[in-house]
Amino acid sequence: MHALIQAIILGILTGGVYALMASGQTLIFGIMKVVNLAQGALVVLGAYLTYTLFTTLGIDPFVSILITTPLLFLVGIGLQWALLRPLHGEDVAQLSLLVTFAIALAIEGALSFAYGATLTNVQPTYANYSWTVFGYQISLVRFVAFLLSIVMLGVLYFILQRTKFGRSVRATVQNPMSAQLLGVNANRVSALGFGLGAATAAAAGSVFGMLNSFNPGSHYDLISRLLTIVVLGGLGSIGGSVVAALIMGVASSLVSALASPIWSDFTFFIVLLLVLLLRPRGLFGAKTRGAL
Amino acid sequence: MKRAISRFGLLRVVIFFGLLILVPILGGPVWLLNMLIFTVMYAALSSSWNLLGGLAGYPSLGHVAFFGIGAYAFAIMFQGSVGDGFSPFLALPVVGVAVALLSVPIGWVSMRTRADVFAIVTITFLFITQTLAFNLNSLTGGAQGKSVAPPPFDVSTYDWPFYYAMLALLAVAMGISFYFSRSKIGLSLATVRADEDKAHGVGVRVTAVKLIAFAVSSGMVAMVGCVWAYYVGFIYPQFAVDPLITIGMVLMAFLGGRGTLWGPVLGSFILVPAQEFFAQTFGASELYLLAYAAVFLVIMLFLPRGILPSISDRLRRRRLAAEGDARDAAQLSEVQDASKSPVTSEVAR
């Protein structure tokens, strides 16, 4: 019983970080109808930036978020502007998907060139500090990371619900054509949306770097988990992706505690399979023609 | 859609395969045959991918999973002994059919989704297979890998059987592709690619043809995986189920032209030597991955429809333009003949 509850706590804390990564990805899908296969690579890029800032300038990983997030926001806008906007024609969705895969490969290549393939992680002095509450271990880093994810998700929610940009994003998600007719600049919304998605990846990346060992190839693990989460939550639904991230965090943590850590990744795939069999549009997904 | 086998088309096939068959016999540097094995291998993989991704418009990103399954099937079957070395090739069709059957339920589940989500599901299937290859230690040897017994071939012609096996698989893949494009299956797949809901509405048996394309394509890829495993002799999870192989298949079909017979072949004969060149120049370093991604991006941005469709498009436009000019000229001369007045011809213009 103790192990069970401990696993659930760990799962919820981890799930919060996944929620942050996945919300960015599902946001990009909602706006541009593009499944961003580079989201995992952007997270790893964020982790490496944090690593460099920490090891060379001694900037605390949590503080470095203030630097990495705006930086990757700009990178995201640049990627959208240079590589995704020029695509046109009938196969846009397919081409965009492959282009994001190419971006992921390019980031992986650039990172391997700069840092090599060995596993690293970001180890601030408090990395192994943890509290004991009612006999359950709560790691400081995981807890702060969880809080941070909630704050970032709150910021994202605020941007989407309370700003003009957010309103145009929501309009684009609901109906791109009408949004454009009403004067929403689709290119601008797409670019900013991709930037926001990349920014969430940066924030999550800083945390990811403290919680896990990573190398440039880590984005494959990440992206397969993220894809499961966004499909489970329903593509394009941010709320859905948060719920799905928590579910998956707990599920994989339970499997790794009760069975074996090597099968924890497998939980994701089994869940994905079940979702596709029983409810292909996910928990909160809208039924859109052509996507599913 | 051209229904007849044109004489030119037949000639092209005979010359292409004739030349490739002659290469080892005429001799040449060792690296050439080695590179050709991988070129033909990718041509076969890409042609098989094209049956599903090109003809049906379902871009699978997980086909390397079947490649890996085939490779492991061979490694498990022939870890002890391969007899005279040729008998494993006889097992190829068995593995092909078995994997094709295995792929039917996978295809059925994953093809409940379309385009983007289908790509996600197949990419996840890739990771499932990789995880299994790592974790099912007793069967796959885990991270340690698995070896195939070396065949007792003569050193001077050691590569030949593998080369011809790959070539045969390419011929089969192209044959199927050709058959599809001339049969009702191909027509049904084209309707699925254009608009699946409408196709379903007018009575095309969409699920059946999609599953046929998925199973045939997977079985072919698995057989290529078998020959690959036999050739390299030693397989690890990260090499047998490498996402880059999937990307290779997709990229080559995109470069040459999706949904065409020769597109994937052309793409492979450009990209594999180029890949080899990158690897030689940059070593096995990470710049190689970067160069690969750059080529990928350039193709997607500047040649999204592929070389062959772009060329045939241009030719058609030129022919139409020429026809139009001829018609204009004819009309003009008619008008001029009818009334010799320069004013009317000016108007007709």
Side-chain angles (χ1 to χ4, degrees), chain A residues 96-119:
Chain A
S96 316
L97 182 83
L98 291 169
V99 164
T100 59
F101 201 148
I103 295 173
L105 287 181
I107 294 176
E108 184 190 347
L111 288 177
S112 328
F113 182 63
Y115 296 96
T118 44
L119 285 167

Side-chain angles (χ1 to χ4, degrees), chain A residues 106 112 262 269 276-277 289, chain B residues 112 119 124 135 197 258 286 290:
Chain A
S112 328
I262 61 168
F269 307 137
L276 289 172
L277 274 174
R289 192 180 124 98
Chain B
R112 287 165 65 91
T124 317
N135 291 354
D197 294 320
R258 279 163 297 158
E286 293 68 27
L290 213 53

Side-chain angles (χ1 to χ4, degrees), chain A residues 54-246:
Chain A
F54 178 68
T55 49
T56 57
L57 301 175
I59 297 174
D60 183 272
F62 283 115
V63 178
S64 74
I65 290 177
L66 295 175
I67 303 168
T68 59
T69 308
L71 203 63
L72 276 201
F73 178 69
L74 295 178
V75 168
I77 290 178
L79 287 176
Q80 199 278 341
W81 181 79
L83 302 175
L84 290 167
R85 187 176 300 180
L87 298 175
H88 51 83
E90 49 190 304
D91 300 320
V92 143
Q94 225 180 91
L95 288 173
S96 316
L97 182 83
L98 291 169
V99 164
T100 59
F101 201 148
I103 295 173
L105 287 181
I107 294 176
E108 184 190 347
L111 288 177
S112 328
F113 182 63
Y115 296 96
T118 44
L119 285 167
T120 48
N121 59 1
V122 185
Q123 284 280 2
T125 46
Y126 49 83
N128 295 318
Y129 187 82
S130 66
W131 296 302
T132 309
V133 182
F134 300 117
Y136 298 112
Q137 296 274 320
I138 296 179
S139 129
L140 170 78
V141 173
R142 279 182 198 278
F143 187 68
V144 178
F146 180 73
L147 287 185
L148 185 92
S149 300
I150 290 177
V151 170
M152 296 293 291
L153 283 170
V155 171
L156 191 64
Y157 183 82
F158 177 81
I159 292 177
L160 289 178
Q161 297 293 330
R162 292 277 181 272
T163 65
K164 186 154 178 282
F165 164 69
R167 210 159 46 232
S168 36
V169 166
R170 282 182 293 135
T172 310
V173 171
Q174 274 176 15
N175 191 334
M177 187 80 82
S178 325
Q180 281 191 47
L181 287 173
L182 291 171
V184 171
N185 182 342
N187 277 334
R188 194 164 153 269
V189 168
S190 296
L192 290 175
F194 206 89
L196 265 186
T200 62
S206 302
V207 178
F208 178 78
M210 280 186 281
L211 297 179
N212 302 278
S213 298
F214 55 94
N215 68 5
S218 301
H219 73 100
Y220 288 118
D221 296 341
L222 271 174
I223 196 66
S224 59
R225 288 177 206 175
L226 287 181
L227 290 175
T228 309
I229 290 171
V230 293
V231 170
L232 174 62
L235 273 164
S237 156
I238 293 185
S241 72
V242 172
V243 174
L246 291 176

Side-chain angles (χ1 to χ4, degrees), chain B residues 2-341:
Chain B
K2 282 199 190 101
R3 297 226 149 229
I5 308 173
S6 69
R7 200 176 296 159
F8 184 59
L10 193 66
L11 194 69
R12 198 157 35 184
V13 171
V14 170
I15 291 179
F16 177 74
F17 281 102
L19 278 179
L20 285 181
I21 287 171
L22 283 179
V23 169
I25 299 168
L26 295 177
V30 179
W31 62 263
L32 180 70
L33 193 58
N34 187 283
M35 192 177 79
L36 268 180
I37 290 180
F38 284 104
T39 313
V40 174
M41 175 182 109
Y42 269 105
L45 286 176
S46 188
S47 296
S48 313
W49 180 88
N50 189 40
L51 296 175
L52 182 70
L55 297 177
Y58 272 82
S60 165
L61 290 181
H63 256 48
V64 69
F66 297 111
F67 180 86
I69 291 172
Y72 271 103
F74 236 49
I76 291 164
M77 283 160 74
F78 300 107
Q79 52 188 332
S81 140
V82 289
D84 60 355
F86 292 103
S87 45
F89 290 117
L90 299 177
L92 277 180
V94 181
V95 177
V97 170
V99 173
L101 291 178
L102 171 83
S103 77
V104 170
I106 296 166
W108 183 73
V109 172
S110 54
M111 289 207 276
R112 287 165 65 91
T113 61
R114 303 252 172 100
D116 293 4
V117 187
F118 176 74
I120 297 186
V121 175
T122 48
I123 209 173
T124 317
F125 176 61
L126 186 169
F127 294 118
I128 294 185
T129 314
Q130 207 181 42
T131 315
L132 284 177
F134 268 116
N135 291 354
L136 295 177
N137 263 316
S138 53
L139 200 60
T140 64
Q144 308 258 290
K146 190 123 193 133
S147 60
V148 186
F153 294 149
D154 186 52
V155 180
S156 60
T157 59
Y158 185 84
D159 285 350
W160 290 29
F162 304 107
Y163 176 67
Y164 286 120
M166 288 293 188
L167 206 55
L169 287 174
L170 173 62
V172 173
M174 287 180 71
I176 295 174
S177 178
F178 183 67
Y179 168 73
F180 271 16
S181 69
R182 282 162 42 83
S183 68
K184 200 180 158 192
I185 298 178
L187 210 54
S188 310
L189 288 175
T191 62
V192 167
R193 179 163 72 158
D195 189 327
E196 191 168 336
D197 294 320
K198 272 190 201 137
H200 188 65
V202 299
V204 175
R205 299 176 65 188
V206 286
T207 313
V209 290
K210 279 188 325 190
L211 282 182
I212 290 174
F214 193 94
V216 171
S217 161
S218 314
M220 285 303 304
V221 168
M223 288 198 276
V224 178
C226 294
V227 179
W228 172 80
Y230 193 20
Y231 180 52
V232 297
F234 206 84
I235 56 174
Y236 302 91
Q238 63 268 45
F239 290 133
V241 196
D242 185 347
L244 280 182
I245 298 180
T246 273
I247 284 304
M249 293 182 220
V250 179
L251 202 52
M252 287 159 200
F254 262 81
L255 175 62
R258 279 163 297 158
T260 62
L261 178 61
W262 287 94
V265 181
L266 179 67
S268 321
F269 274 78
I270 295 173
L271 275 190
V272 178
Q275 215 170 331
E276 207 80 351
F277 172 76
F278 283 145
Q280 293 286 325
T281 322
F282 300 124
S285 79
E286 293 68 27
L287 276 182
Y288 163 76
L289 199 60
L290 213 53
Y292 203 72
V295 172
F296 194 163
L297 284 172
V298 166
I299 292 173
M300 293 297 149
L301 289 174
F302 299 109
L303 258 177
R305 297 180 50 222
I307 296 173
L308 289 183
S310 303
I311 290 178
S312 67
D313 222 36
R314 187 156 298 175
L315 284 181
R316 192 182 314 127
R317 216 174 300 151
R318 187 171 297 170
R319 205 179 53 228
L320 283 179
E323 277 172 11
D325 283 349
R327 206 170 44 234
D328 284 354
Q331 269 175 359
L332 195 62
S333 64
E334 247 171 54
V335 170
Q336 277 172 339
D337 284 346
S339 68
K340 296 285 180 195
S341 135

